[in-house]
Amino acid sequence: GVRLWGVGSMPLVSEERLVELLGRYAAGRTVVLTWLRLPTALGHAVHAVCFLTTLSVLGAVFSQERRLDLFSFHPLCMSLGTLLFVAEGVVSYRNRFLLEALADIMDGQRRSKNRAIHQTLQALGTAFILLGLLLILANKVEVGHTIMPLSIHSMVGTVAVLLCLAQAAVGFQKMAALQAMPERRVHRYHGEAGLLVFDALMLSVFLGMLSFLYFSMLNFLVEMSVIVLWGSVHVLMRSTKPPPGGGAAGGGAV
């Protein structure tokens, strides 16, 4: 198989093995989605869900924080990066809303336009996530706290950001390879790996809300909206097929 990581001439993880592991993870996610019994129609409302969830999360955070400082800008950047840009980037190959809206002002064929939208959304999402990470680190230094991740939220968030960066690097490699040889299939795991990264980022956001927001019925509904957004993205990915040559099998995440 294609070597991904290894020491010397001994590969530790092959592309075939990674595809197999991601397939097992996807099967476990399917069990959870089946248990939730989310309606298929929810996937087609994903753009509205992204916008409303992002707005509600930011509203809940700032209604409690009531000030603009380094700490408050951390959830702002993480919410915009994950709930809006990354989520929209994940579904960009399956939902044609953005493609139809922007097609007239973009050059190239339909496939290249789709890839450009996906790449742009994921680059914006990654940029906001990195900015959010830098802001919380700066806040910890300012108040004299250790920058080492100690809480469950910070540990999950650190892993999610590292996965996001690795996935972004693979995405750029995939784009470069496709530009050189459009019909060549490379990094076949990229789509399913992206969905894993999306799951990790969404879990980090959810844990951050649980650790920061005080309990109230309104905050509970906001927290549930994050789960609804996560589910709506995956419902859309499961209920629609990617266009021929238009995206990875599992979706085009990050």
Side-chain angles (χ1 to χ4, degrees):
V2 178
R3 178 182 167 186
L4 298 180
W5 299 285
V7 178
S9 60
M10 297 294 293
L12 297 180
V13 181
S14 67
E15 182 168 327
E16 287 77 9
R17 177 59 174 165
L18 187 55
V19 169
E20 177 187 352
L21 292 174
L22 289 169
R24 292 181 181 179
Y25 171 79
R29 186 203 298 121
T30 299
V31 173
V32 176
L33 290 168
T34 302
W35 178 77
L36 289 175
R37 296 182 180 274
L38 297 172
T40 302
L42 186 63
H44 298 291
V46 67
H47 300 296
V49 176
C50 283
F51 177 76
L52 293 175
T53 300
T54 303
L55 198 62
S56 63
V57 169
L58 294 179
V61 169
F62 283 103
S63 66
Q64 182 170 317
E65 184 69 4
R66 294 185 181 277
R67 60 180 177 178
L68 295 177
D69 54 15
L70 288 174
F71 178 83
S72 63
F73 277 107
H74 168 68
L76 170 66
C77 292
M78 290 301 191
S79 297
L80 288 174
T82 301
L83 304 178
L84 190 61
F85 291 116
V86 169
E88 287 285 0
V90 169
V91 301
S92 61
Y93 280 118
R94 303 297 178 90
N95 189 295
R96 290 294 188 276
F97 176 79
L98 290 178
L99 178 62
E100 299 297 338
L102 300 175
D104 291 339
I105 61 174
M106 298 177 68
D107 294 328
Q109 298 179 344
R110 188 180 185 88
R111 183 187 303 181
S112 62
K113 292 177 182 179
N114 238 335
R115 288 174 179 163
I117 291 173
H118 168 75
Q119 191 174 26
T120 301
L121 288 170
Q122 300 296 36
L124 287 171
T126 302
F128 271 103
I129 289 168
L130 288 177
L131 180 57
L133 175 63
L134 292 176
L135 288 170
I136 196 62
L137 292 177
N139 178 75
K140 289 186 175 184
V141 171
E142 184 179 59
V143 300
H145 292 171
T146 177
I147 63 172
M148 295 299 294
L150 300 178
S151 66
I152 297 178
H153 164 60
S154 61
M155 287 187 285
V156 172
T158 299
V159 172
V161 171
L162 291 175
L163 289 175
C164 184
L165 291 175
Q167 179 71 352
V170 172
F172 280 114
Q173 292 177 5
K174 185 178 180 73
M175 289 293 184
L178 288 173
Q179 289 177 356
M181 299 181 63
E183 302 305 322
R184 181 186 177 191
R185 295 192 65 188
V186 294
H187 302 311
R188 293 177 295 119
Y189 57 88
H190 180 68
E192 285 295 346
L195 294 180
L196 169 63
V197 175
F198 174 68
D199 292 348
L201 290 170
M202 292 294 288
L203 178 60
S204 177
V205 170
F206 183 72
L207 291 173
M209 294 174 62
L210 289 180
S211 64
F212 175 70
L213 296 178
Y214 57 77
F215 179 78
S216 71
M217 183 54 65
L218 182 59
N219 285 341
F220 174 76
L221 293 176
V222 172
E223 290 159 357
M224 290 303 100
S225 72
V226 174
I227 297 179
V228 172
L229 171 56
W230 173 80
S232 68
V233 168
H234 285 295
V235 165
L236 179 65
M237 300 303 290
R238 292 178 63 198
S239 62
T240 58
K241 296 181 179 180
V254 190

